[in-house]
Amino acid sequence: MREDGPGYCLHEPLRQHIRRGAALEHWIAAFGADHPARMVGHDAVHMDFHPGNILATDGSITGIIDWDGAARGDRRFDLVTLRFGIHSKDAEARVTQHLDAVLDSLPEDILRPAWAHMSLRMVDWAIRHFTPADVEHWLDLAEQRVS
């Protein structure tokens, strides 16, 4: 959250975007300045945990694929990643509501850094690769937990 990532999680596109993008980047930068540079924890974290990387048969998860970006940290980061992942899909309202309730139960020191990271990641990517409507879509989600 303090520096640009390797080709993603770039701050400048948000700064140069409409007022909403710049405000989000300001919150992310301020938040990042007050928190550790690395995720705390020793769990295996997928880092790209979304429905496209989940294998399922008959409603049961049978595997998780695409571990090339995995890292150590707090496993609950993947729940935030999943929340962003279902935002782009036509997820059932009950699934979204359930996942939001799980996120509401997370400690702030886990939820807020993960939310800031994913907000930067998804809004930056949308600005650089998708339509203005897509950017608004991701800003709407990002702003739900910005305070």
Side-chain angles (χ1 to χ4, degrees), residues 14 17-18 20-21 24 51 81-91 96 115 118-127 129-146:
L14 274 72
H17 197 263
I18 61 173
R20 286 178 73 191
L24 178 63
T81 306
L82 181 60
R83 179 61 181 90
F84 277 77
I86 66 171
H87 187 63
S88 64
K89 306 290 182 207
D90 293 324
T96 301
W115 195 268
M118 287 305 300
S119 295
L120 175 61
R121 182 170 155 185
M122 297 309 295
V123 174
D124 160 56
W125 196 257
I127 289 169
H129 299 283
F130 297 111
T131 68
D134 293 318
V135 175
E136 296 297 317
H137 174 80
W138 290 112
L139 283 166
D140 289 345
L141 178 61
E143 291 170 344
Q144 288 180 15
R145 293 184 183 267
V146 171

Side-chain angles (χ1 to χ4, degrees), residues 40-60:
V40 178
H42 300 287
D43 302 323
V45 182
H46 188 278
M47 301 296 291
D48 194 22
F49 191 65
H50 61 79
N53 285 336
I54 301 171
L55 302 177
T57 302
D58 298 326
S60 296

Side-chain angles (χ1 to χ4, degrees), residues 15-112:
R15 284 187 209 117
Q16 293 182 3
H17 197 263
I18 61 173
R19 183 178 17 209
R20 286 178 73 191
L24 178 63
E25 193 283 330
H26 179 76
W27 177 78
I28 292 166
F31 184 81
D34 291 336
H35 289 80
R38 296 206 174 270
M39 189 183 337
V40 178
H42 300 287
D43 302 323
V45 182
H46 188 278
M47 301 296 291
D48 194 22
F49 191 65
H50 61 79
N53 285 336
I54 301 171
L55 302 177
T57 302
D58 298 326
S60 296
I61 294 174
T62 58
I64 308 296
I65 61 171
D66 190 15
W67 285 86
D68 67 328
R72 285 204 181 274
D74 191 295
R75 66 192 176 281
R76 295 170 287 188
F77 178 88
D78 283 337
L79 295 173
V80 175
T81 306
L82 181 60
R83 179 61 181 90
F84 277 77
I86 66 171
H87 187 63
S88 64
K89 306 290 182 207
D90 293 324
E92 295 178 25
R94 67 181 179 83
V95 172
T96 301
Q97 292 166 353
H98 177 74
L99 188 50
D100 282 338
V102 170
L103 294 181
D104 289 342
S105 73
L106 295 182
E108 286 293 312
D109 64 326
I110 300 300
L111 177 60
R112 290 176 58 83

